[in-house]
């Protein structure tokens, strides 16, 4: 073991030791990536690396990251798309890697997992017995009873756990039950003020992270750490973003605000315990006005601010501010922890309501934010949404990258250039009420300033080069030419020899009236040729269910559909029986890893463009067009290319895999944008001949 940092072996030697220690085989793409990551860290230059499935990209970034941590003494943050991927790194990859590298480094590499505070049990909230936030009238007796049983399980587990990590509870518990024992970062009193601060599970996790060489987190927490005024992650100068194709969507989710009857009611319940009833009643009444307005309003993007909505948002904002004022100074009860906790929770809920209402008003310009006045058109007018699409408000804010307020003219193109955020209404579902949401048109400016500004960032995924270049995603990340380097290290798979890309050009273009009968016939013929072994990826759950119902009557193979059981259980059943087929939608496009004979055929029903009525995608597309770009290619085609590449990537998961990716949508071969989409896919051998594909599937089935 080297005694000091100056004796550290080069990245190549460490990678060889790691691969050998893990019983693997070193691959050229893996070596090339590890060298590039090491060079980027040393030169402090941002790097984007596309590394196909089977490359071994985890080792290719972990080895140079660990070497940098050992050399500099600073932690490296590795961010994944989900908590599940965090666990995979911490529970499987990093322990084995630490064993393999221990003898070559000054000390055994240390690693830690860090999640958002909401994922850890709050000892203070549990001990103080804070009143529940939930309104039991929203739940039937059976749900209340089930929640009660979960609460008891949490209380029993709390006496045994050493980490306070929610993921330890098996089977899991509902969000409703868990909320009674957890707080967000904004609700937390802070370790210095909290009576349980010394034993706080979240703080202990942060302490462990502060002593680690590699801290594994997720994109959401990475965004919170970058965007908020308070630090969440330990000090670091290098970030590795794995599954980087999901970064923009995850960051957008973090910075999306929402306002509904539920968010207002929560603020009222929390504040009502601490202030005069009359002041809380004012906010309650404003929330009821909001509920009545949203109940009759058409869902979708709100392009101009109706007077009724502007006035209601202003009422909600002002009533929330009155409650905040009535609570008094924020540190008023610093010597009374129990009351301080209640006050902090109330401030958090009220701040969210106030700030979100103001943010929605600001989205339509300073005049809207000032007095709540807006267009004279009522929100529930049948023609309001259509007319809004043909003209924009004369009030706007600067783009997300500049951030200032600026009154625009009445020209729609000028308005789109300056608009910073989009507001839309989501219709209610079940007990979830209609909800107004607000999100930035772009997070590139935020990422550029907050994430890339003062640290080195390595971004990697199997899918980054869309249309053959990194340009589409680099623009979304806010990176400019000369600030970063792109590298595609390829894949160890021989795609032209192992897989076929079949585009069914003889089929009609998909319409809006559900799954065409010709598509159902085509799917049936392909599955029969493959003997089952099929993953069906559909653009909507309606299409997946329609195909399932139609084909269960026609085929003799087991056919599972997403929603029949938990997704993990369905994938397990699918992988365990080669004759089985699995149909589903979005989560299956990216979350299925089934090597071997159980997956020989991937069927994609249509090019996965965003829905025409998707409020955020359509607003972003229009914004790009207004600034002189091609909105369709920059937004819709990029979205489709990313999902297509991810879906096609389900086919080859090991060196022995073979099969077919069948795209039923003929536009993939005939449309003017088809070249961009095809260049985003793995280089399979291509055909449009259904007879050749069926024959190939029969041969594969016979050989299996």
């Amino acid at each position: 073991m080297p005694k000091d940092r100056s004796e550290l072996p080069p990245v190549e030697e460490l990678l060889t030791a790691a691969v050998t220690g893990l019983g693997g085989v070193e691959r050229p793409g893996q070596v090339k990536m590890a060298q590039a990551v090491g060079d980027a860290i040393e030169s402090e230059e941002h790097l984007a690396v596309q590394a196909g499935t089977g490359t071994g990209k985890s080792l290719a970034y972990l080895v140079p990251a660990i070497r940098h941590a050992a050399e500099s003494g600073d932690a490296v943050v590795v961010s994944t798309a989900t908590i599940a991927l965090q666990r995979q790194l911490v529970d499987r990859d990093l322990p084995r890697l630490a064993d393999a590298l221990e003898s070559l480094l000054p000390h055994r590499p240390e690693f830690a997992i860090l999640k958002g505070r909401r994922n850890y049990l709050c000892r203070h909230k549990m001990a103080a017995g804070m009143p529940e936030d939930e309104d039991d009238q929203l739940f039937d007796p059976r749900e209340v009873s089930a929640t009660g049983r979960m609460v008891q399980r949490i209380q029993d587990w709390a006496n045994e756990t050493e980490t306070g990590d929610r993921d330890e509870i098996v089977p899991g518990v509902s969000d409703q039950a868990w909320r009674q024992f957890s707080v967000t970062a904004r609700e937390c009193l802070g370790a210095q003020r909290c009576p349980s601060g010394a034993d706080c599970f979240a703080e202990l996790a942060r302490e462990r992270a502060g002593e680690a060489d590699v801290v594994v987190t997720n994109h959401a927490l990475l965004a919170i750490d970058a965007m908020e005024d308070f630090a969440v992650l330990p000090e670091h100068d290098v970030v590795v973003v794995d599954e980087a194709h999901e970064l923009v969507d995850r960051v957008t989710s973090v910075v999306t605000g929402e306002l509904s009857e539920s968010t207002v009611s929560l603020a009222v319940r929390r504040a009502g315990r601490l202030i005069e009833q009359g002041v809380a009643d004012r906010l309650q009444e404003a929330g009821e006005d909001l509920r009545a307005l949203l109940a009759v309003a058409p869902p979708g993007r709100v392009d101009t601010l109706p007077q009724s909505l502007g006035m209601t948002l202003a009422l909600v904002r002002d009533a929330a501010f009155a409650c905040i004022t009535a609570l008094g100074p924020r540190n008023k009860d610093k010597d009374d922890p129990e009351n301080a906790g209640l006050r902090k929770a109330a401030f958090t809920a009220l701040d969210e309501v106030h700030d979100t209402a103001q943010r929605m008003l600001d989205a339509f310009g300073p005049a809207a934010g000032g007095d709540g006045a807006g267009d004279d058109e009522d929100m529930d007018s049948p023609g309001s949404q259509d007319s809004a699409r043909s003209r924009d408000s004369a009030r706007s804010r600067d783009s997300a990258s500049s951030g200032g307020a600026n009154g625009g003219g009445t020209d729609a193109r000028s308005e789109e250039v300056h608009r910073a955020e989009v507001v839309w209404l989501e219709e209610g579902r079940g007990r979830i009420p209609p909800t107004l949401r607000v999100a930035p048109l772009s997070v590139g400016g935020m990422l550029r300033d907050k994430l890339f500004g003062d640290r080195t960032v390595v971004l990697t995924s199997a899918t980054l080069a869309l249309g053959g270049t990194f340009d589409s995603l680099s623009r979304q990340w806010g990176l400019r030419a000369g600030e970063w380097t792109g590298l595609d290290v390829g894949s160890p798979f021989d795609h032209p020899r192992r897989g076929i890309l079949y585009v069914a050009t003889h089929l009609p273009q998909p319409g809006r009236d559900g799954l065409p009968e010709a598509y159902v016939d085509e799917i049936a013929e392909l599955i029969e040729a493959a003997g089952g072994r099929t993953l069906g990826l559909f653009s909507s759950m309606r299409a997946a269910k329609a195909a399932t119902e139609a084909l269960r009557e026609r085929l003799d193979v087991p056919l599972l559909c997403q929603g029949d059981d938990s997704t993990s259980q369905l994938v397990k059943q699918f992988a365990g029986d080669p004759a089985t087929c699995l149909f589903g939608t979005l989560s299956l496009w990216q979350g299925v890893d089934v090597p071997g004979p159980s997956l020989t055929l991937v069927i994609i029903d249509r090019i996965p463009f965003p829905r025409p009525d998707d409020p955020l995608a359509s607003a972003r597309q229009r914004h790009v067009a207004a600034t002189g770009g091609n909105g369709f290619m920059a937004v819709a085609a990029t979205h489709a290319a990313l999902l297509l590449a991810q879906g096609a990537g389900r086919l080859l998961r090991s060196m022995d895999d073979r099969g077919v990716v069948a795209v039923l949508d003929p536009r993939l071969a005939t449309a003017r944008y088809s070249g961009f989409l095809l260049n985003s896919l793995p280089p399979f051998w291509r055909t449009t001949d259904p007879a050749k594909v069926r024959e190939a599937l029969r041969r594969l089935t016979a050989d299996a």
Side-chain angles (χ1 to χ4, degrees):
M1 180 182 293
K3 295 182 179 179
D4 59 54
R5 297 167 181 171
S6 64
E7 300 176 12
L8 289 176
V11 166
E12 295 83 358
E13 183 179 335
L14 291 173
L15 180 63
T16 298
V19 172
T20 302
L22 271 62
V25 177
E26 204 167 73
R27 300 188 173 104
Q30 185 182 52
V31 175
K32 190 175 181 180
M33 178 177 172
Q35 291 170 335
V37 172
D39 291 344
I41 292 173
E42 186 174 344
S43 63
E44 300 181 352
E45 182 181 41
H46 303 313
L47 173 69
V49 186
Q50 176 165 284
T53 303
T55 302
K57 65 181 171 68
S58 294
L59 281 186
Y61 66 70
L62 286 173
V63 167
I66 288 173
R67 186 186 188 281
H68 172 72
E71 184 176 47
S72 67
D74 296 325
V76 172
V77 170
V78 174
S79 178
T80 68
T82 64
I83 289 177
L85 289 174
Q86 281 183 267
R87 290 246 65 102
Q88 177 180 310
L89 282 173
V90 170
D91 294 342
R92 188 187 71 182
D93 298 344
L94 280 166
R96 298 165 65 200
L97 181 57
D99 290 341
L101 297 182
E102 183 174 6
S103 63
L104 299 174
L105 298 173
H107 63 270
R108 176 184 169 82
E110 299 290 336
F111 50 89
I113 188 171
L114 191 60
K115 308 175 186 178
R117 190 171 291 270
R118 190 59 127 166
N119 293 279
Y120 299 98
L121 179 80
C122 175
R123 291 186 185 274
H124 174 58
K125 189 168 186 177
M126 183 175 180
M130 295 183 185
E132 298 177 19
D133 288 330
E134 302 295 342
D135 185 349
D136 286 343
Q137 293 179 353
L138 294 176
F139 305 97
D140 64 36
R142 287 174 298 178
E143 289 175 324
V144 172
S145 177
T147 300
R149 290 193 293 272
M150 290 181 188
V151 166
Q152 185 59 54
R153 284 178 50 216
I154 296 172
Q155 290 173 331
D156 294 341
W157 164 80
N159 295 322
E160 305 169 356
T161 180
E162 295 181 1
T163 67
D165 188 334
R166 177 181 176 178
D167 283 350
E168 287 184 0
I169 307 175
V170 180
V173 296
S174 68
D175 289 343
Q176 181 197 356
W178 182 252
R179 275 196 295 266
Q180 299 180 44
F181 298 91
S182 65
V183 296
T184 65
R186 291 179 177 273
E187 294 168 339
C188 177
L189 287 174
Q192 301 303 317
R193 296 178 59 196
C194 179
S196 303
D199 300 316
C200 174
F201 288 121
E203 291 296 326
L204 292 173
R206 274 201 76 200
E207 288 179 14
R208 288 192 294 271
E211 299 170 355
D213 298 292
V214 177
V215 179
V216 182
T217 187
N218 55 71
H219 297 348
L221 194 61
L222 181 69
I224 292 170
D225 181 71
M227 307 300 175
E228 296 288 358
D229 295 332
F230 49 85
V232 178
L233 299 170
E235 288 292 327
H236 59 281
D237 60 358
V238 174
V239 175
V240 178
V241 181
D242 200 352
E243 301 300 314
H245 63 278
E246 293 199 46
L247 179 63
V248 167
D249 285 344
R250 301 282 175 171
V251 172
T252 299
S253 295
V254 168
V255 297
T256 295
E258 65 176 56
L259 193 62
S260 68
E261 171 196 357
S262 295
T263 57
V264 175
S265 295
L266 173 62
V268 170
R269 289 197 299 275
R270 289 185 176 182
R273 307 167 185 141
L274 304 168
I275 62 176
E276 291 183 8
Q277 190 63 44
V279 182
D281 286 346
R282 180 181 164 192
L283 180 57
Q284 181 67 47
E285 291 166 2
E288 291 170 357
D289 289 345
L290 180 68
R291 177 188 61 191
L293 179 64
L294 300 187
V296 297
R301 199 176 67 220
V302 183
D303 287 333
T304 56
L305 183 65
Q307 185 178 39
S308 55
L309 178 59
M311 292 177 64
T312 302
L313 287 174
L315 284 173
V316 170
R317 174 199 63 190
D318 295 344
F321 184 74
C323 292
I324 292 170
T325 302
L327 280 172
R330 292 182 182 253
N331 61 351
K332 175 181 175 182
D333 293 295
K334 61 182 180 180
D335 297 326
D336 181 358
E338 181 173 344
N339 206 41
L342 295 174
R343 285 168 51 77
K344 188 70 180 287
F347 274 122
T348 300
L350 290 168
D351 286 341
E352 181 179 351
V353 169
H354 174 274
D355 294 350
T356 304
Q358 183 65 59
R359 185 175 161 191
M360 290 175 175
L361 289 167
D362 287 346
F364 300 96
D371 58 10
D375 264 60
D376 291 335
E377 192 163 27
D378 287 336
M379 190 175 183
D380 55 358
S381 168
S384 63
Q385 294 295 309
D386 292 334
S387 62
R389 291 182 177 89
S390 63
R391 73 179 192 284
D392 293 297
S393 169
R395 299 175 298 273
S396 65
R397 296 175 66 196
D398 282 332
S399 64
S401 59
S402 58
N406 181 36
T410 57
D411 178 73
R413 180 183 172 93
S414 174
E415 171 64 20
E416 282 306 315
V417 170
H418 293 291
R419 186 183 293 277
E421 299 198 290
V422 58
V423 177
W424 72 95
L425 175 63
E426 287 187 3
E427 62 183 339
R429 292 191 181 94
R431 293 188 177 91
I432 301 175
T435 301
L436 273 175
R437 299 188 187 277
V438 57
L441 281 168
S442 169
V443 295
M446 298 179 190
L447 290 173
R448 176 182 171 80
D449 294 341
K450 302 293 187 179
L451 178 61
F452 298 107
D454 57 357
R455 56 181 63 87
T456 301
V457 182
V458 174
L459 306 113
T460 185
S461 169
T463 310
L464 292 182
L466 304 180
T469 76
F470 293 85
D471 294 346
S472 295
L473 289 179
S474 67
R475 281 193 296 267
Q476 293 184 15
W477 297 328
L479 291 175
R480 298 171 182 166
E483 297 178 336
W484 62 284
T485 299
L487 174 66
D488 184 353
V489 299
S491 167
F493 299 148
D494 188 350
H495 286 93
R497 292 179 177 272
R498 311 299 295 186
I500 296 173
L501 174 63
Y502 163 56
V503 183
T505 53
H506 64 284
L507 293 179
Q509 288 192 15
R512 296 186 178 182
D513 299 325
L515 200 66
E517 186 64 29
Y519 280 42
V520 177
D521 293 340
E522 184 79 13
I523 294 171
E525 292 174 358
L526 290 169
I527 290 177
E528 287 173 342
R533 309 171 190 273
T534 299
L535 176 66
L537 303 177
F538 293 83
S539 55
S540 70
M541 186 54 72
R542 183 178 69 169
K545 289 181 177 178
T548 302
E549 292 173 4
L551 292 171
R552 276 177 174 162
E553 301 174 358
R554 296 174 54 172
L555 300 175
D556 293 330
V557 299
L559 213 167
L560 308 174
C561 186
Q562 193 172 4
D564 292 346
D565 203 336
S566 68
T567 299
S568 60
Q569 186 61 34
L570 290 173
V571 172
K572 184 177 180 181
Q573 288 180 250
F574 172 60
D577 179 12
T580 298
C581 301
L582 173 60
F583 288 179
T585 185
L586 188 59
S587 63
L588 298 187
W589 286 72
Q590 304 185 75
V592 175
D593 185 9
V594 180
S598 290
L599 204 171
T600 302
L601 172 63
V602 174
I603 296 177
I604 297 175
D605 70 328
R606 64 190 296 163
I607 298 173
F609 292 119
R611 290 168 52 98
D613 59 354
D614 181 292
L616 192 52
S618 61
R620 285 174 169 171
Q621 185 168 324
R622 191 175 64 174
H623 177 76
V624 172
T627 55
N630 187 324
F632 171 79
M633 293 301 296
V635 179
T638 295
H639 176 277
L642 191 58
L643 275 180
L644 275 175
Q646 287 287 309
R650 300 310 97 199
L651 181 66
L652 302 184
R653 309 302 295 178
S654 73
M655 299 299 290
D656 296 327
D657 287 348
R658 296 182 296 167
V660 173
V661 174
V663 181
L664 308 185
D665 189 337
R667 294 175 296 176
L668 184 60
T670 61
R672 57 181 171 79
Y673 48 79
S674 62
F676 175 78
L677 298 180
L678 289 170
N679 286 335
S680 304
L681 297 176
F684 297 118
W685 184 78
R686 299 176 186 173
T687 185
T688 59
D689 187 337
K692 286 184 178 179
V693 169
R694 289 195 293 270
E695 179 58 31
L697 287 170
R698 292 188 189 101
R699 288 198 304 269
L700 289 174
T701 302
D703 294 343

